[in-house]
Amino acid sequence: GKNTFIRKTLLKKIHNDNMRFSSQDKILLLSNRIALNRQGKLQYADYLHELTGDKRYKDIFAKYSIEGIDSYIDFGIIDICSYHQLYYRLIHKEGRKNLKKQQFHYVIFDECHFFTSDSTFNRNTQYILKHSIETFQNAIRIYMSATLEESFIPIISTESKICSKLSEENSKIECKYYYFERNYSYIDKINVYDKLENLPAYIKDTSEDKWLIFVASKKDGKALREELTYNEIESAFLTKDSKSKNSSNDSSNNENEYQTYRNIVENEKFNQRVLISTSALDNGINIKDSLVKHIVIDMLDRTEFIQMLGRIRISNDQKINLYIRDYSSKDIEDFLANDIKALLVRLI
């Protein structure tokens, strides 16, 4: 996987080169979701302890709450932060100056489809891309995503324009593109259902198997959770509010949601039979659990669909049953109309 490559190849290379040449080169890793950022920091801390023998990495998270690690960026040979955090450093002159001073040999834009997929509700995506290229001109910039198709041309176009403006020598940037064929052989069967409220009948018939269900809205998720509770099926429903202990208005479910979210970040597992989620989990974060045998994706957007399907990290001979809703022609027409509106917003 992408992050295994960073941990096992790039980090090791930077560490060995620094030891060999007495240099202080670093990596800057950027990601677009809080959960992904937190889970990544746990994994990198473990690997850095293994790589360097430095005990501070082993004990780092004993000193911080799960929310507290958001502000912890400097991991020695790698800085890890969100695009949001980078934005607030880029908009200040002193922040940009400090970024330029650091010896970032590699700047990694993880889940870089962020620059297009988030542009409809985050007006700063182009600013972040433009000023990142300007600030990190001397670094090798690596863009990574499982869904790069939509963002590839905008990224390369921005790279070319900025580099040619900054220097005649950089007018022709060297770009290497690596494509890895997707492997969906782990999908055992594709099933079609008509309504979310009919899913409990499927779930009851699957013994102790676990289910991961992605819904398009909080309203759909709440209704499904109520239906599962009525059918005495244990479930948890995660939204963006689940990432903070005190953010949910529904106090009866807040603790359950928060602990489920924390368990996924720290252990890559959930304990309930059914996990319902909005797009809060759609990027990068891993779930490694051989008991998960069923994934429901109630989503028409191609990028979101592929990202959601990729949340399960398949182990051994694990097989997955995929469930897709039977959309009406009106559902598809409405989706295409909204997609066109979003495209116009990007162009404007």
Side-chain angles (χ1 to χ4, degrees), residues 50-143:
E50 177 187 325
L51 180 66
T52 66
D54 191 333
K55 290 184 178 179
R56 72 184 173 118
Y57 295 118
K58 188 176 182 181
D59 302 328
I60 193 171
F61 293 108
K63 301 176 183 177
Y64 290 84
S65 66
I66 195 69
E67 293 92 349
I69 63 175
D70 291 343
S71 60
Y72 198 99
I73 291 173
D74 187 352
F75 287 76
I77 58 174
I78 183 170
D79 282 8
I80 305 172
C81 73
S82 66
Y83 289 109
H84 183 72
Q85 289 170 315
L86 178 66
Y87 170 72
Y88 282 103
R89 297 171 77 180
L90 289 172
I91 60 175
H92 298 293
K93 186 177 180 180
E94 196 61 32
R96 288 200 304 274
K97 188 176 178 181
N98 289 335
L99 285 168
K100 285 182 178 180
K101 280 183 181 178
Q102 298 188 61
Q103 293 176 278
F104 291 121
H105 192 73
Y106 298 99
V107 176
I108 301 169
F109 301 87
D110 196 14
E111 307 298 345
C112 64
H113 56 274
F114 154 83
F115 292 114
T116 50
S117 64
D118 284 24
S119 63
T120 55
F121 56 85
N122 182 346
R123 63 181 181 178
N124 299 320
T125 56
Q126 182 63 16
Y127 181 95
I128 296 169
L129 177 60
K130 176 180 180 292
H131 287 276
S132 292
I133 295 168
E134 290 175 348
T135 303
F136 306 120
Q137 267 293 294
N138 296 323
I140 295 172
R141 297 180 292 282
I142 302 175
Y143 298 90

Side-chain angles (χ1 to χ4, degrees), residues 149-250:
E149 294 84 355
E150 287 186 13
S151 54
F152 178 75
I153 291 177
I155 287 171
I156 293 301
S157 175
T158 307
E159 278 275 1
S160 298
K161 287 177 184 177
I162 300 233
C163 290
S164 61
K165 283 181 182 178
L166 290 175
S167 170
E168 292 258 345
E169 296 176 2
N170 290 332
S171 60
K172 293 183 178 179
I173 61 170
E174 182 181 3
C175 173
K176 294 183 179 180
Y177 179 70
Y178 299 90
Y179 174 77
F180 301 93
E181 195 72 38
R182 295 187 182 97
N183 179 6
Y184 294 121
S185 60
Y186 61 88
I187 297 176
D188 191 37
K189 187 178 180 183
I190 298 177
N191 307 274
V192 178
Y193 67 94
D194 52 358
K195 297 178 182 178
L196 281 172
E197 53 262 41
N198 292 337
L199 287 176
Y202 291 91
I203 296 170
K204 277 188 169 182
D205 293 337
T206 56
S207 183
E208 298 302 312
D209 293 351
K210 289 185 178 181
W211 288 64
L212 175 58
I213 302 176
F214 285 104
V215 293
S217 68
K218 284 186 181 181
K219 181 181 176 182
D220 288 344
K222 187 176 180 181
L224 178 57
R225 182 179 60 188
E226 289 173 355
E227 194 70 29
L228 291 170
T229 301
Y230 177 79
N231 283 270
E232 299 182 337
I233 299 171
E234 186 185 15
S235 66
F237 175 38
L238 297 187
T239 67
K240 64 179 181 179
D241 296 328
S242 307
K243 298 168 186 177
S244 177
K245 201 169 188 177
N246 302 310
S247 62
S248 175
N249 294 322
D250 187 352

Side-chain angles (χ1 to χ4, degrees), residues 285-299:
I285 196 167
N286 298 335
I287 294 176
K288 295 180 181 177
D289 190 339
S290 60
L291 291 177
V292 178
K293 303 286 180 65
H294 309 270
I295 299 180
V296 181
I297 304 178
D298 188 19
M299 196 68 59

